[in-house]
Amino acid sequence: MSDIVVEMRGITKRFPGIIANNNVSFAVKKGEIHALLGENGAGKSTLMNILFGLYEQDEGDVLIRGEKVRIQSPNDANRLGIGMVHQHFMLVEPFTVTENIILGSEPTQNGSIDRKLARKKVVEISERYGLSVNADARISEISVGMQQRVEILKTLYRGAEILIFDEPTAVLTPQEIEELMVIMKNLVQEGKSIILITHKLKEIMAVSDMVTVIRRGKVVGSVATNETNPNKLAAMMVGKEVSFEVKKQEAVPGPVVLSMQDVKSSNEKGIHVLDGIHLEVRAGEIVGIAGVDGNGQSELIEAITGLRKVSSGTITLNNQNLTNRSPRTIIEAGVSHIPEDRHKRGLVLDFSIGENMVLETYYKEPFSKSGLVDYHAVFSYAKKLIEEYDVRTPSEQTLARSLSGGNQQKAIIAREIDRDPKLLIAAQPTRGVDVGAIEFIHKRLIEQRDQGKAILLVSFELEEVMQLSDRIAVIYEGKLVAIVNPKETTEQELGFLMAGGRKDKQEGEIVGS
């Protein structure tokens, strides 16, 4: 009996204007973590959506444990022991953890749901696999990392032996990523098999046994992880050498562009989420904000961009007071914003990618004439940006939701940079994008800095903050607790400050109290 649990042979899947998978073959052994690596839009998720029954292939065969199968729906996949943990979680927020896990497969007694038995089963599975969760908490009350555990438990509760993880670390903090790696290793020790869709090379090296690389819909090759390295994998994935070093000259900061003086803002419970923020960003510099998720980064950006009211303090841009002004006033004053959640704040998913390129400028010439949108002007402008920023899309009229996450991100970056802002706010600019695109985005941010733009960078990737920033401001519980020089600090020291540790007073390095 072969130890291959999943085999996909000659899989081809076409969509209008694009071949997403082109004669792809791929095999996974029992008890291994097999990474599927590729650029955004390479066809990884499409392939796994076929395996999970969300799409049906146009050509090719799927074999599970050596038997040819037809998977027409996720229910078919579940019956075959295949579970999928999606990048965007499929949870019902008002329901409890237990209710979400059993949804659709509820144990019953005398015609009604046996909640006691359900809870007992959930607790048993969570203890067995080291997935500690509060079975009675509501989804709306738990962290993103905990929500992901619920998604994993949902698949295990349904008896999954083969688990597909789609970009599982895109929304996790560094600590949650480490915890997830341990969970994945526990699962394969129990005899499960895992397919990991990712483009994060560090994670592949840390957790996988095998890697299959897909480029533009075709398999480039499969290699054992212990026989390769990040540089080789990056070159296979992108088709050329990729530099992990950010090359930049010393910054030449000019006058202050953004000034925040004693800015305070509270949440609906009256708790300060911004607590006396003092921050300056100068022309020609990148100021990075480092902090553990939930310490005020999002609120800081919302305050600057007019999406959140501040209760006191002032926010000025080139001495123009923008405190509590409308988002349109702030945009017109010269602020561009790459938002942390591209679906909620960056794009209208059911608009074309061309229309999304002019969301902030559609009412101005040349896109608007006598109050009517000139679509010819809109689409020719979009075409220019698509080429310049290498946005992979069948056309400028393709709906934004049809693009891969990384290409959606490139489209937003193109739009925001092309507006020639005075202040560019980049929040998680490389979240969910591949190494080739990361290199491209980093270059663009450095170019903007060198052209004299003020850039405020917010990222959970400490390495990114360290490499790109000229100064790093550390945020903790709504206060900026220190400003450090990236050349003189370490990830360990930053991690200590982000967790509320104190830095000894030296030359004005402490700010706030």
Side-chain angles (χ1 to χ4, degrees):
M1 153 98 184
S2 155
D3 61 350
I4 291 177
V5 287
V6 176
E7 191 178 358
M8 301 181 86
R9 289 184 189 159
I11 299 289
T12 295
K13 178 69 183 169
R14 300 179 190 87
F15 294 107
I18 194 164
I19 300 176
N21 293 140
N22 189 349
N23 193 24
V24 171
S25 296
F26 162 77
V28 180
K29 290 181 180 165
K30 183 176 171 63
E32 80 174 357
I33 298 177
H34 195 125
L36 255 189
L37 173 68
E39 290 183 277
N40 301 113
K44 314 178 292 291
S45 295
T46 302
L47 190 67
M48 289 303 102
N49 284 335
I50 289 169
L51 183 58
F52 191 59
L54 292 168
Y55 296 148
E56 211 168 343
Q57 69 270 29
D58 298 318
E59 290 159 32
D61 296 311
V62 177
L63 291 86
I64 302 296
R65 300 173 196 89
E67 303 257 323
K68 207 183 275 192
V69 294
R70 193 160 175 214
I71 305 173
Q72 293 177 285
S73 72
N75 286 339
D76 290 348
N78 286 335
R79 276 194 291 276
L80 291 162
I82 302 167
M84 187 161 181
V85 179
H86 298 272
Q87 185 177 351
H88 300 287
F89 305 148
M90 311 280 184
L91 299 171
V92 184
E93 294 225 331
F95 282 19
T96 65
V97 165
T98 299
E99 287 165 345
N100 268 278
I101 290 168
I102 65 169
L103 194 59
S105 311
E106 298 88 347
T108 54
Q109 194 178 20
N110 307 328
S112 63
I113 296 172
D114 187 341
R115 289 177 185 277
K116 218 171 180 178
L117 176 63
R119 190 182 184 283
K120 185 168 170 265
K121 274 174 107 174
V122 166
V123 170
E124 271 171 17
I125 298 170
S126 70
E127 283 174 358
R128 179 175 171 189
Y129 294 105
L131 284 154
S132 59
V133 291
N134 176 352
D136 306 311
R138 294 194 188 283
I139 295 297
S140 53
E141 296 164 357
I142 62 176
S143 71
V144 173
M146 281 295 159
Q147 289 180 24
Q148 189 176 57
R149 289 183 180 197
V150 176
E151 284 280 14
I152 298 168
L153 285 167
K154 254 168 63 176
T155 67
L156 297 172
Y157 177 82
R158 283 159 181 69
E161 292 296 320
I162 300 155
L163 283 87
I164 304 163
F165 284 84
D166 186 1
E167 299 286 359
T169 62
V171 291
L172 302 185
T173 62
Q175 189 193 345
E176 286 169 337
I177 290 171
E178 278 174 31
E179 288 166 4
L180 176 67
M181 302 265 174
V182 172
I183 290 164
M184 289 168 88
K185 285 176 176 165
N186 287 346
L187 288 167
V188 291
Q189 274 167 1
E190 289 273 352
K192 308 287 184 198
S193 308
I194 291 177
I195 303 170
L196 169 65
I197 304 176
T198 185
H199 45 242
K200 291 194 175 174
L201 299 170
K202 205 154 70 174
E203 288 160 19
I204 284 179
M205 296 309 297
V207 82
S208 72
D209 303 299
M210 286 291 293
V211 187
T212 293
V213 182
I214 296 184
R215 187 163 81 234
R216 302 218 169 183
K218 291 182 175 172
V219 170
V220 181
S222 294
V223 288
T225 311
N226 60 8
E227 290 171 10
T228 188
N229 63 50
N231 292 63
K232 281 184 190 166
L233 287 174
M236 280 174 80
M237 167 175 154
V238 181
K240 63 179 176 65
E241 291 295 315
V242 174
S243 163
F244 294 104
E245 286 301 307
V246 175
K247 295 184 176 67
K248 59 175 190 176
Q249 308 292 320
E250 273 294 307
V252 187
V256 172
V257 173
L258 172 73
S259 172
M260 301 180 77
Q261 299 299 324
D262 198 24
V263 171
K264 293 185 179 176
S265 181
S266 306
N267 61 16
E268 52 283 356
K269 293 176 184 157
I271 296 161
H272 278 320
V273 284
L274 296 178
D275 194 359
I277 295 281
H278 288 275
L279 177 68
E280 289 185 342
V281 186
R282 294 173 175 273
E285 74 166 350
I286 297 177
V287 174
I289 303 278
V292 176
D293 190 12
N295 274 276
Q297 299 92 318
S298 303
E299 291 82 358
L300 177 74
I301 293 168
E302 287 168 0
I304 301 168
T305 52
L307 297 168
R308 155 178 294 277
K309 291 278 178 259
V310 305
S311 51
S312 65
T314 55
I315 301 170
T316 59
L317 188 80
N318 289 337
N319 297 321
Q320 179 186 352
N321 191 338
L322 294 179
T323 320
N324 291 334
R325 301 300 299 273
S326 72
R328 181 178 278 192
T329 306
I330 291 165
I331 287 167
E332 292 193 338
V335 176
S336 274
H337 175 205
I338 299 162
E340 60 182 326
D341 187 329
R342 52 180 165 258
H343 288 177
K344 256 190 207 157
R345 297 247 166 100
L347 298 163
V348 180
L349 291 172
D350 289 318
F351 280 13
S352 69
I353 203 67
E355 289 166 312
N356 272 285
M357 293 291 200
V358 296
L359 282 182
E360 296 147 318
T361 46
Y362 67 89
Y363 56 90
K364 295 179 172 173
E365 294 232 331
F367 309 123
S368 177
K369 299 213 171 102
S370 317
L372 293 172
V373 175
D374 178 348
Y375 277 97
H376 178 71
V378 167
F379 287 127
S380 61
Y381 168 72
K383 206 169 183 170
K384 174 184 84 92
L385 287 191
I386 285 165
E387 277 170 31
E388 200 181 321
Y389 284 79
D390 189 28
V391 181
R392 311 258 171 98
T393 172
S395 93
E396 60 278 12
Q397 303 198 20
T398 303
L399 291 189
R401 72 165 63 253
S402 310
L403 270 61
S404 71
N407 283 303
Q408 290 174 348
Q409 188 73 356
K410 283 202 241 177
I412 293 169
I413 287 167
R415 177 185 71 207
E416 297 303 319
I417 287 181
D418 200 67
R419 285 186 43 245
D420 197 25
K422 299 181 178 86
L423 171 70
L424 175 62
I425 299 171
Q428 318 300 344
T430 58
R431 175 183 272 175
V433 307
D434 59 67
V435 285
I438 288 172
E439 183 187 29
F440 179 85
I441 291 166
H442 285 176
K443 267 189 189 151
R444 289 295 170 132
L445 291 174
I446 298 289
E447 264 170 32
Q448 288 298 299
R449 179 201 80 160
D450 292 345
Q451 287 170 23
K453 305 288 166 61
I455 297 175
L456 183 64
L457 167 73
V458 177
S459 173
F460 297 139
E461 304 283 344
L462 272 192
E463 207 176 318
E464 179 166 72
V465 173
M466 301 266 290
Q467 287 189 326
L468 287 178
S469 307
D470 301 304
R471 292 187 297 136
I472 300 172
V474 182
I475 194 166
Y476 176 70
E477 292 187 342
K479 290 184 169 130
L480 289 183
V481 292
I483 290 192
V484 295
N485 180 337
K487 289 202 195 83
E488 294 165 8
T489 188
T490 61
E491 285 198 17
Q492 286 68 29
E493 185 191 36
L494 273 181
F496 172 69
L497 290 166
M498 284 159 57
R502 304 291 294 148
K503 191 171 172 63
D504 292 334
K505 275 203 180 187
Q506 294 164 4
E507 295 159 43
E509 287 192 308
I510 294 275
V511 293
S513 55

